[in-house]
Amino acid sequence: MDIHSHQFIAFFEPEQAAQLAAKAIVETYPDLVVIFEEGEVPDYLYLVLEGKVLFRKHTINDHYQIVAQANPDDFFGEFGILDGKPRSAQAMVCEGATLARIPRNVLIEILNNTKGSTVLHLFNFIIQRLRVTTQEFVQQVTYKDKMVLLGEMVNTIIHDFKSPLSSIHLSSGMLREMYLEDEDTTEWCDLIQEQAVRMTAMAEELLEFSKGSASLKKQPMDLAAALRRFEKLNRIYLDQENVAFTLHCPESIMVEADENKLMRVLQNLIVNAVEALDGDGGEITMTAQPLPNWVRITIQDNGPGIPLEIRDSFFEAFVTYGKKRGTGLGTAIAKSIIDTHQGQIRFETQEGEGTTFIIQLPLQTS
Ligand SMILES: Nc1ncnc2c1ncn2[C@@H]1O[C@H](COP(=O)(O)OP(=O)(O)O)[C@@H](O)[C@H]1O
Ligand SMILES: [Mg+2]
């Protein structure tokens, strides 16, 4: 977008707006460039013209938690400019961004010469935005608490479920053995066993989800080797489902990851893609590509695309669509695993064309 139509500039009278636009320094930044670090002394206000900026706060062990993001027409860094206090989070470019930065002294001078009503208008806007952010934060915190509680409940229920389930499995197996010559009985027993296995799998999926990140075991992992193992394990399944699978991964990409969990993510996404392709003979391509500090893994299918109805709530638990037996947990588990690896996951989808999942994981640092 053009700087003159940015909402921040539009707050000012034409003369000041022109001054601000003239003094602003417009620059395009590549992916993952850090605009400022947490704790830095603020010197500029930034207007987002294109792309996206993520705000991350340092947590423990060199890990970061994403706390907010800014999109075109948003601005950021105003608090530090107004009160001079250090930056409260790191700002990092995501997907490349064009920003206009306005030096602190220029802005303060123009603000000093601006009508009170304009300043008030601007303040109102900033306060409004602060309220929304605070509300979102509070919602996130209470949601997390609720999920922890739900997780504990699910945990106990599922544990209690598992032993009667295995009894059902065992007894139907014995019945089957006793009446081997009776076709009806063996058929019914097979059905019972099949369903018991399915319920156990579902219970395990729920358990996995409720456990969340508690059991993450990160280790240095050779990505190409892991992806080849993954392909091998899925070869028969993919052939049976009539899906052509291609893997592109350069050698010697090292990531710090819990291999089992990461395989779980890929498995969930591949199964979804296969289910979406529905035996029509589709294609799935998995690609890994190293970036400066990250590796990007994409999983692309040429299926029907993700239904519009669930695109906004896609990664939430229990969101399922168009499946008789969906649990709606596959992608929620995938997201929680990627999040605990300090990575990112998102998708691009087009109706009738297909879907691509894009995962970014931090590269091993040492
Ligand atoms: N690659 C894909 N193409 C089209 N739709 C998809 C794809 N992956 C997931 N979906 C949709 O997203 C929903 C949620 O997936 P998921 O969280 O794994 O739950 P489940 O598979 O149990 O329904 C699926 O029900 C399906 O409608
Ligand atoms: Mg699924």
Side-chain angles (χ1 to χ4, degrees):
M1 72 185 294
D2 183 64
I3 184 166
H4 295 93
S5 49
H6 193 283
Q7 62 170 339
F8 184 83
I9 302 289
F11 278 123
F12 292 83
E13 302 278 295
E15 192 189 330
Q16 273 99 13
Q19 276 179 351
L20 277 172
K23 291 273 170 70
I25 305 151
V26 178
E27 257 175 314
T28 298
Y29 301 82
D31 227 6
L32 301 173
V33 162
V34 172
I35 305 289
F36 53 71
E37 285 289 355
E38 187 175 343
E40 248 176 52
V41 178
D43 39 10
Y44 292 98
L45 170 87
Y46 294 85
L47 318 183
V48 184
L49 303 180
E50 309 287 341
K52 197 195 302 185
V53 176
L54 293 178
F55 301 95
R56 314 192 309 164
K57 268 189 97 65
H58 219 143
T59 58
I60 37 162
N61 301 342
D62 267 347
H63 286 160
Y64 286 92
Q65 165 85 44
I66 296 173
V67 287
Q69 70 174 54
N71 297 311
D73 209 27
D74 286 339
F75 57 92
F76 61 91
E78 72 276 15
F79 288 119
I81 292 300
L82 294 173
D83 69 5
K85 296 251 170 70
R87 300 290 193 195
S88 57
Q90 179 203 61
M92 190 180 78
V93 174
C94 172
E95 298 166 25
T98 305
L99 306 178
R101 58 190 162 105
I102 302 170
R104 178 165 195 245
N105 54 353
V106 170
L107 185 65
I108 299 284
E109 196 188 315
I110 290 178
L111 276 177
N112 275 331
N113 298 322
T114 302
K115 274 203 314 204
S117 59
T118 305
V119 177
L120 211 60
H121 196 77
L122 182 65
F123 265 41
N124 255 331
F125 180 81
I126 295 177
I127 290 169
Q128 201 55 37
R129 214 175 52 163
L130 194 63
R131 270 184 215 266
V132 174
T133 323
T134 314
Q135 204 175 357
E136 270 170 21
F137 181 71
V138 170
Q139 258 170 14
Q140 264 183 31
V141 171
T142 40
Y143 177 76
K144 232 177 176 167
D145 281 351
K146 257 199 255 170
M147 289 312 281
V148 169
L149 208 67
L150 185 67
E152 282 166 7
M153 269 167 56
V154 167
N155 228 319
T156 31
I157 297 172
I158 297 299
H159 272 299
D160 292 349
F161 249 80
K162 279 172 83 177
S163 76
L165 267 177
S166 62
S167 306
I168 293 174
H169 193 257
L170 217 73
S171 338
S172 54
M174 281 163 81
L175 266 178
R176 194 185 188 283
E177 292 300 309
M178 283 164 68
Y179 297 95
L180 265 181
E181 62 295 340
D182 181 352
E183 217 172 278
D184 274 351
T185 308
T186 49
E187 208 174 291
W188 284 113
C189 287
D190 284 344
L191 193 71
I192 293 172
Q193 291 209 297
E194 202 180 290
Q195 297 303 311
V197 168
R198 247 197 65 219
M199 281 170 79
T200 313
M202 271 166 77
E204 243 134 45
E205 195 159 87
L206 265 168
L207 261 184
E208 180 93 11
F209 180 69
S210 72
K211 265 195 302 196
S213 57
S215 53
L216 200 70
K217 290 189 209 78
K218 284 210 272 184
Q219 271 174 344
M221 185 185 102
D222 177 342
L223 189 67
L227 294 186
R228 277 196 301 269
R229 271 195 295 281
F230 176 81
E231 182 183 12
K232 208 164 154 190
L233 284 172
N234 278 283
R235 185 78 308 178
I236 296 174
Y237 167 63
L238 290 162
D239 285 348
Q240 269 170 0
E241 296 290 336
N242 201 15
V243 168
F245 182 85
T246 332
L247 171 67
H248 303 284
C249 179
E251 293 300 321
S252 43
I253 299 179
M254 290 302 288
V255 288
E256 185 107 343
D258 183 327
E259 179 165 337
N260 283 333
K261 293 254 151 105
L262 197 61
M263 293 303 117
R264 176 74 181 206
V265 172
L266 301 178
Q267 194 66 48
N268 290 358
L269 297 181
I270 293 288
V271 169
N272 277 345
V274 168
E275 286 172 350
L277 290 166
D278 204 15
D280 288 346
E283 285 167 29
I284 300 178
T285 311
M286 183 143 84
T287 312
Q289 174 199 3
L291 303 172
N293 299 309
W294 304 80
V295 58
R296 176 179 292 166
I297 304 170
T298 56
I299 295 150
Q300 184 179 16
D301 69 58
N302 62 346
I306 289 169
L308 206 61
E309 288 82 348
I310 55 166
R311 284 187 199 168
D312 287 339
S313 55
F314 186 74
F315 287 109
E316 285 171 26
F318 312 117
V319 171
T320 171
Y321 193 89
K323 290 184 192 181
K324 262 207 209 129
R325 294 168 174 177
T327 58
L329 286 173
T331 52
I333 290 171
K335 176 149 172 50
S336 91
I337 293 176
I338 296 298
D339 281 350
T340 47
H341 278 85
Q342 311 295 321
Q344 292 162 22
I345 179 168
R346 63 188 173 86
F347 63 83
E348 284 165 9
T349 190
Q350 213 162 1
E351 205 180 323
E353 302 276 319
T355 305
T356 306
F357 281 87
I358 301 131
I359 297 173
Q360 295 210 162
L361 287 174
L363 285 176
Q364 200 193 355
T365 39
S366 52

